[in-house]
């Protein structure tokens, strides 16, 4: 693929996020460590729905977005802070969610799948089982990146909708002056990001989570239609899924260059 003006531009890391517990609120960070498996400490815990045996995700169980995940505990809204290694953790978390769950740690749980629909505004739409990568609790890829160029353009076009970056749950936010969705042209290339090199594998298909209500953010079901209209060549995609070509550390303020 030939280099374009958009490809040659460099950006800057403007935000970093880590989510210790899958589908719960995460932490804004000044620095992330990237190893061969992705962001160290990201989605290292999860909850399994005992009835179905599947990984619990806010794609199906929106209440999960109300909790805050830490490396060793969960803050239940209006309730206690639950230690993830506590003997009564499963009981307390089950009472919060109104369904029986158990706590699992990435790499120690065996194969797991989660469920999602490809019609996110409709919670009654057909659900599909999606296997989590072996030894991991991420949806599909070790690292997730979004650009401010795309989010800002969407917010300018649909100002009545809320495009807060937290809806999209990235690990890395890049401030870069390119056309919206220009990052889709980076697929198959590497990004030099701080001390790490990340491989661009594919654009990110969006699930129901950006539409969900969460602390400080109201539900936005119309985001789905906007995402379809914003990028008609690749409807309902925003952001990039990345692999790890070379581990290293990433800091807010680091440069980002397409290799």
């Amino acid at each position: 693929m030939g280099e374009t003006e958009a490809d040659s531009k460099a950006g800057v890391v403007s935000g970093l996020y880590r989510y210790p517990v899958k589908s719960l609120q995460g932490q804004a960070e000044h620095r992330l460590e990237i190893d061969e498996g992705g962001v160290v400490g990201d989605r290292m815990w999860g909850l399994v729905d005992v009835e179905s045996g599947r990984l619990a995700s806010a794609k199906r169980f929106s209440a999960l977005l109300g909790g805050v995940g830490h490396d060793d505990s969960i803050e239940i809204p209006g309730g206690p802070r639950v230690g993830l290694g506590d003997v009564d953790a499963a009981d307390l978390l089950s009472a919060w969610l109104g369904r029986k769950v158990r706590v699992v740690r990435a790499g120690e749980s065996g194969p797991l799948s989660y469920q999602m629909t490809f019609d996110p505004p409709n919670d009654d739409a057909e659900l599909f089982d999606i296997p989590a990568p072996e030894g991991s609790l991420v949806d599909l890829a070790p690292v997730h990146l979004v650009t401010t160029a795309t989010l800002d353009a969407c917010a300018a076009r649909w100002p009545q909708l809320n495009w807060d970056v937290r809806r999209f749950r990235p690990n890395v936010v890049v401030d870069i002056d390119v056309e919206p969705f220009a990052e889709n042209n980076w697929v198959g290339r590497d990004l030099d990001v701080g001390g790490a090199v990340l491989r661009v594998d594919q654009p990110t298909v969006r699930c129901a989570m950006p539409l969900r209500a969460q602390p400080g953010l109201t539900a936005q079901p119309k985001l789905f239609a906007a995402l379809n209209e914003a990028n008609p060549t690749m409807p309902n995609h925003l952001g990039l899924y990345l692999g790890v070509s070379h581990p290293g550390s990433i800091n807010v303020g680091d440069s980002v260059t397409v290799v």
Side-chain angles (χ1 to χ4, degrees), residues 74-116:
I74 289 174
E75 292 180 59
I76 293 177
R81 187 157 172 159
V82 179
L84 287 162
D86 292 353
V87 294
D88 60 349
D91 291 337
L92 292 170
L93 296 170
S94 297
W96 164 44
L97 295 170
R99 57 190 311 114
K100 194 169 184 180
V101 297
R102 59 185 175 89
V103 179
V104 296
R105 191 178 179 107
E108 299 176 1
S109 56
L112 287 170
S113 64
Y114 58 91
Q115 289 188 313
M116 66 176 287

Side-chain angles (χ1 to χ4, degrees), residues 155-177:
R157 186 172 176 185
W158 291 279
Q160 72 277 22
L161 300 176
N162 181 290
W163 296 85
D164 192 295
V165 69
R166 290 176 294 163
R167 293 188 180 280
F168 301 93
R169 298 175 66 82
N171 297 116
V172 182
V173 183
V174 176
D175 188 2
I176 186 168
D177 182 17

Side-chain angles (χ1 to χ4, degrees), residues 7 13 32 35 62 89 118 124 129-130 157 171 175 182 192 205 215 236-237 247 252:
D7 294 330
V13 175
L32 293 180
D35 66 13
S62 58
F118 292 97
D124 296 323
D129 282 354
I130 311 293
R157 186 172 176 185
N171 297 116
D175 188 2
D192 279 335
V205 63
N236 196 37
H237 285 71
V252 171

Side-chain angles (χ1 to χ4, degrees), residues 12-18 27-32 144-146 148 165 170-175 193 250-254:
V12 175
V13 175
S14 59
L16 295 170
Y17 297 88
R18 187 172 62 89
Q27 316 292 331
E29 305 282 5
H30 292 290
R31 179 186 182 96
L32 293 180
H144 178 212
L145 177 150
V146 300
T148 58
V165 69
N171 297 116
V172 182
V173 183
V174 176
D175 188 2
V193 187
I250 301 175
N251 296 275
V252 171
D254 282 344

